[in-house]
Amino acid sequence: MLLIAVAFAGLQLTAVTGRASPDTKNYLSYALSLSGEDRQEAGRLAIGYSCASGQHAPLDFIPWTSRKAAGELEEQCVRRLNDSVAYWSGHGNTSGMTAPFANQRFMAIFEARPGYPLFLVPFVTAFGPTWGLWLAGLVVALAGSVCVLLTLRVAGASRRAALAGQALYLALPTGTVAMNPLSDGLSLALGTAVVLGCVLLLRDRPRTGAALVAGGLGLMFLVRYSQALLLAAALAGVFLAWSGRLRLKRRGSAPVLRAAGLCGALAAIVYAGAHLLSWPMGQDSAQDLLTHHYQRPDRPDPWPEFFVQERIFWSAWLRRQATYPVLPVLLALSAWALLKRRSVVLPVALAAGAAGLLNQAGHPNLDQLLGYRLIVFVWLLPALAIPLLLDRPPNDTAPHDASRDPAGAEKPSDTTAHAAPAPAGDTPGEVRHPTSRS
């Protein structure tokens, strides 16, 4: 695990900067304001970082850059953004934690995401914007990869499969998004903690699992509440459908039903919390898309035009996948794992992938067609499912207690050349998992 982490960190040293997107300056100015800088100075420092980052050619696996126009010099970038700040300051955007890079209604989207700027504060205070943002991204990426590894181990996968999951998480766009200075990476890392909590819930560790699920979604609410809502709702829906299937088969469904109830309740709490705080909701997101960040008048009824944009986006997205079929191939392997393996992690991974699709459906913006960040939760499915293909299928003739393990997951097994002798009373060939109960 440590070797994979060190190798990943070494590779990321090749691009300490050059990763900023247009939204990075909003989060950075918020973090600098929280660290004690006044709003004007926070905006100046954020502009300096963003424009300096734009001078570095983006790497092939970073699909966006802060540069607005090809060939824009750093001085031109600074002048453009300073002019924008002066314009919007003179047009009513005079309050809030973020610098006035746009109109107040658009900046309210970032004001409603205090978790990521708060997370950045110790990093940018101690190391400055450039190294602080890089180190924050590295911590987020490695934390998510470790949660994936632990999820697979708790679900019964071998060490080999769990390490493959960690490596896949870092190699796929999940690792790329985690390293970029945006809220999506921290939201993704917290999502992996929620996934781990769900697996613990279903593996007879209810207290630890419930604490991770509730804590992870609670922190996600502060980082990116829309993604927290979609993840909780997707988990609740998958668990509810799963419990119904188990009842039809006359198998114990109580753990799955309890997980569905917990996730459903948390989804309701997230929605109610965002509503009570008057944070932007679905209607605001639709208007943002159709009015070019509220720079044109609102649509009286945005939904018909919004669904036209959905059709346009997904048609283009499918053509893109047909041309570069990396994700379709990985999803096909994930489907094979769903059909061939029996593991508690698979329905949870399926729900996480559905949350990614729902998040992208809420933002059918063609500017995001080549990016991964809005749909990034979809890539959790192959990161969690494909490694299971490295393990042997479970022995269907073995006795199974459905009330304790509704998924019929395998016990952890490690195929090593020097396996330890099985303790008395254990079935030959099985290795007792350190977290399982005897």
Side-chain angles (χ1 to χ4, degrees):
M1 180 185 73
L2 290 175
L3 284 173
I4 291 172
V6 169
F8 178 79
L11 288 172
Q12 299 311 309
L13 282 170
T14 62
V16 175
T17 188
R19 302 172 184 267
S21 86
D23 290 342
T24 298
K25 61 184 181 297
N26 303 322
Y27 293 114
L28 179 57
S29 69
Y30 196 150
L32 291 168
S33 295
L34 288 173
S35 68
E37 300 286 354
D38 63 60
R39 195 169 183 240
Q40 183 177 358
E41 180 64 12
R44 187 187 69 80
L45 292 172
I47 288 172
Y49 171 83
S50 183
C51 292
S53 178
Q55 299 309 300
H56 295 265
L59 300 180
D60 292 339
F61 52 84
I62 302 176
W64 58 82
T65 175
S66 62
R67 192 176 303 165
K68 278 286 185 180
E72 185 181 39
L73 299 176
E74 185 173 354
E75 294 78 10
Q76 294 173 320
C77 173
V78 170
R79 189 182 310 116
R80 171 173 56 81
L81 292 179
N82 280 328
D83 289 346
S84 180
V85 167
Y87 176 84
W88 289 112
S89 296
H91 285 76
N93 190 349
T94 57
S95 61
M97 301 297 289
T98 54
F101 297 115
N103 62 77
Q104 199 160 12
R105 191 177 175 189
F106 176 69
M107 299 310 294
I109 296 172
F110 302 95
E111 296 283 339
R113 299 172 183 173
Y116 180 60
L118 190 62
F119 172 76
L120 290 179
V121 167
F123 294 95
V124 297
T125 301
F127 303 101
T130 300
W131 282 99
L133 288 173
W134 182 86
L135 284 169
L138 185 65
V139 169
V140 164
L142 295 181
S145 73
V146 170
C147 283
V148 167
L149 181 146
L150 293 176
T151 298
L152 289 165
R153 286 296 286 159
V154 169
S158 66
R159 292 190 186 94
R160 176 179 57 187
L163 289 170
Q166 179 195 10
L168 264 180
Y169 179 89
L170 294 173
L172 292 176
T174 41
T176 303
V177 170
M179 281 300 302
N180 284 296
L182 293 165
S183 63
D184 308 272
L186 183 56
S187 175
L188 179 64
L190 292 169
T192 61
V194 172
V195 167
L196 173 59
C198 287
V199 172
L200 286 168
L201 269 175
L202 300 171
R203 295 285 283 178
D204 202 24
R205 298 290 296 275
R207 292 184 180 179
T208 306
L212 268 177
V213 173
L217 287 172
L219 291 174
M220 275 185 76
F221 173 76
L222 297 174
V223 174
R224 202 176 181 90
Y225 60 93
S226 58
Q227 186 65 81
L229 174 62
L230 294 174
L231 179 60
L235 287 166
V238 167
F239 287 150
L240 198 60
W242 188 11
S243 66
R245 181 171 175 269
L246 290 173
R247 287 175 67 87
L248 288 175
K249 292 187 173 184
R250 300 180 182 276
R251 295 171 61 184
S253 62
V256 182
L257 199 57
R258 284 196 297 269
L262 174 63
C263 292
L266 290 170
I269 292 171
V270 168
Y271 180 83
H275 182 74
L276 290 173
L277 292 169
S278 299
W279 284 352
M281 305 293 282
Q283 179 91 0
D284 300 280
S285 181
Q287 294 287 5
D288 172 50
L289 173 68
L290 300 176
T291 62
H292 190 62
H293 305 317
Y294 309 113
Q295 296 185 50
R296 294 192 288 263
D298 279 8
R299 303 293 197 270
D301 181 13
W303 297 114
E305 190 176 351
F306 182 82
F307 289 125
V308 169
Q309 293 297 317
E310 288 279 7
R311 178 181 58 79
I312 294 172
F313 176 85
W314 290 109
S315 297
W317 187 83
L318 288 173
R319 290 195 298 271
R320 171 76 180 177
Q321 301 310 309
T323 306
Y324 302 97
V326 176
L327 181 58
V329 169
L330 293 177
L331 291 180
L333 289 172
S334 302
W336 186 20
L338 286 165
L339 293 173
K340 296 294 184 181
R341 295 295 186 267
R342 187 178 60 186
S343 173
V344 71
V345 78
L346 292 174
V348 182
L350 191 62
L357 286 173
L358 290 172
N359 190 52
Q360 182 66 80
H363 305 81
N365 188 343
L366 286 174
D367 289 342
Q368 298 295 332
L369 187 63
L370 304 182
Y372 308 112
R373 65 184 190 88
L374 295 180
I375 203 171
V376 69
F377 271 75
V378 166
W379 295 85
L380 275 181
L381 180 55
L384 289 165
I386 292 176
L388 297 175
L389 296 173
L390 298 176
D391 290 344
R392 292 190 299 271
N395 184 1
D396 292 333
T397 62
H400 171 61
D401 182 0
S403 65
R404 287 179 61 85
D405 184 4
E410 302 175 67
K411 289 185 178 181
S413 61
D414 295 305
T415 54
T416 57
H418 304 286
D426 281 358
T427 304
E430 288 186 343
V431 178
R432 190 183 298 274
H433 191 276
T435 61
S436 65
R437 298 182 180 183
S438 57

